[in-house]
Amino acid sequence: MSRTPFIAGNWKMFKTMAETKEFAEAFKKQERTSAVKTAFCVPFTDLMTAKEAFAGTDIGVGAQNVHFEDEGAFTGEVSLPMLKEIGVDYCVIGHSERRQYFNETDETCNLKLKKLLQESDITPILCVGENLEEREAGKAEDVVSSEIKADFAGIPEDLAEKVVIAYEPIWAIGTGKTAGPEQAEEMCGFIRRTFASLYSSAAADKLIIQYGGSMKPENAAALLAEADIDGGLVGGASLQPDKFAAILNAVK
Ligand code: 13P
C-alpha cells in the first residue's frame, strides 16, 4: 500500500500575522519535493493570513483546535462554522499540550472528531502519545490504545479512515529527545494494528500516521524511512522555512 507522505507544521502559540506573511514568502521560495503533502497548523488569528499567503499553492492550512458546538456562551472558543468560512483544510485534535493544560479529554476529542467528520471536509489530525512515566512503567501501548479506542468511539469506518493520527510521545516534545526510529516505528505499527482491530486492515492500510516530537532535518530521514511512519507533525523546526523544507526533502 503506498500512502502519500504528509508532513505538517504545528506552530503552537508562535507567530503574529506579520510573521506569518513573512514566513510564507520565505517558505514559498524554498526548494522542496512535490511528493509530500504539507500544511501549517497556525494560531486562530493567523488562519486567514495563512490562507491568503498560501493561496494558489499546494500548501494546506490547519487550525489547532475547534469546539464541538456550533455556537454558544463558550468564551474564548472557536467553532467549526467559523473555521469552514475561512476554508481551513486541517484541524489538530487532542494535542498533548491541550490534554495537559486545557482539560482536553478523550470524551471531548471524540465529540470534536465527530463534529469535523460529520459536518465538514476538514481533515482531523488526532494526537496520541504516552508520557515518560507511562513509558517507563511499560504502559505506552495501553495508554495509546485506550486513547484511540475512546477517541474513535461511535465513529464509522468510512469517516474514521479520513483521520490522520499523530503519534507524539510527550517525553519527546520540545525536549530535543526523539524517539529512535525503531521505537517510533514500533508504536506507529502498534497504532496501525489497533486501528485495524477497530475497523479493518483495508482501512488501516490507508491510515496516515505521523510521528511528532523533536523532528528536525538531522533525524527526519531515518524516522520517515520506517514503514509505518507516513510523515511528521513538527513543532519547533516548522517555525523556520529552511529547516521545515529540509524535513520535507528528507522523504525518500
Ligand atoms: P516539537 O517538534 O517542538 O518537539 O513539537 C512536536 C509537537 O508537539 C508537534 O505537534
Side-chain angles (χ1 to χ4, degrees):
M1 171 82 210
S2 70
R3 295 177 291 265
T4 305
F6 174 40
I7 301 179
N10 172 14
W11 281 1
K12 310 191 178 185
M13 197 174 72
F14 288 93
K15 294 198 191 294
T16 64
M17 289 190 285
E19 288 165 345
T20 299
K21 254 187 221 165
E22 193 186 334
F23 176 96
E25 289 323 307
F27 185 70
K28 286 191 278 188
K29 291 188 195 126
Q30 299 292 318
E31 295 268 345
R32 69 184 163 90
T33 170
S34 57
V36 180
K37 270 208 320 196
T38 190
F40 294 97
C41 300
V42 305
F44 290 127
T45 48
D46 295 332
L47 285 170
M48 200 64 227
T49 305
K51 273 307 279 189
E52 281 165 8
F54 291 128
T57 72
D58 59 348
I59 301 161
V61 172
Q64 299 172 8
N65 187 24
V66 65
H67 197 274
F68 49 81
E69 296 286 354
D70 274 340
E71 58 183 10
F74 301 110
T75 302
E77 291 291 313
V78 169
S79 73
L80 180 60
M82 296 168 188
L83 296 185
K84 280 164 79 172
E85 207 166 289
I86 295 174
V88 314
D89 309 292
Y90 300 93
C91 184
V92 176
I93 296 295
H95 192 279
S96 60
E97 286 148 17
R98 295 215 57 85
R99 292 181 192 253
Q100 250 182 300
Y101 308 129
F102 302 101
N103 275 326
E104 190 80 82
T105 63
D106 286 321
E107 195 184 352
T108 54
C109 289
N110 177 250
L111 291 171
K112 292 173 181 192
L113 280 182
K114 284 178 176 159
K115 185 81 185 168
L116 287 166
L117 293 166
Q118 289 165 357
E119 297 179 33
S120 81
D121 293 324
I122 296 175
T123 302
I125 302 176
L126 173 71
C127 302
V128 298
E130 80 288 356
N131 64 29
L132 188 59
E133 199 184 320
E134 291 160 343
R135 168 147 293 261
E136 284 175 348
K139 291 186 185 149
E141 291 192 350
D142 290 349
V143 168
V144 167
S145 79
S146 97
E147 283 180 328
I148 293 176
K149 284 174 190 156
D151 297 347
F152 281 96
I155 298 178
E157 176 169 324
D158 62 320
L159 294 181
E161 64 186 24
K162 296 181 180 164
V163 177
V164 171
I165 297 184
Y167 168 59
E168 299 210 314
I170 296 167
W171 48 271
I173 295 178
T175 56
K177 279 188 201 164
T178 326
E182 279 164 32
Q183 213 173 13
E185 168 63 14
E186 207 172 85
M187 288 302 290
C188 291
F190 173 75
I191 288 170
R192 200 176 300 285
R193 291 193 299 279
T194 303
F195 196 81
S197 75
L198 285 180
Y199 295 105
S200 66
S201 39
D205 269 353
K206 284 186 254 176
L207 179 71
I208 300 293
I209 303 177
Q210 298 176 322
Y211 166 79
S214 300
M215 193 183 255
K216 46 190 178 227
E218 299 76 39
N219 60 25
L223 286 160
L224 295 166
E226 294 291 344
D228 287 301
I229 302 179
D230 307 312
L233 189 56
V234 184
S238 73
L239 297 169
Q240 286 164 266
D242 53 338
K243 277 201 179 177
F244 190 67
I247 292 176
L248 299 179
N249 292 330
V251 171
K252 290 283 172 325

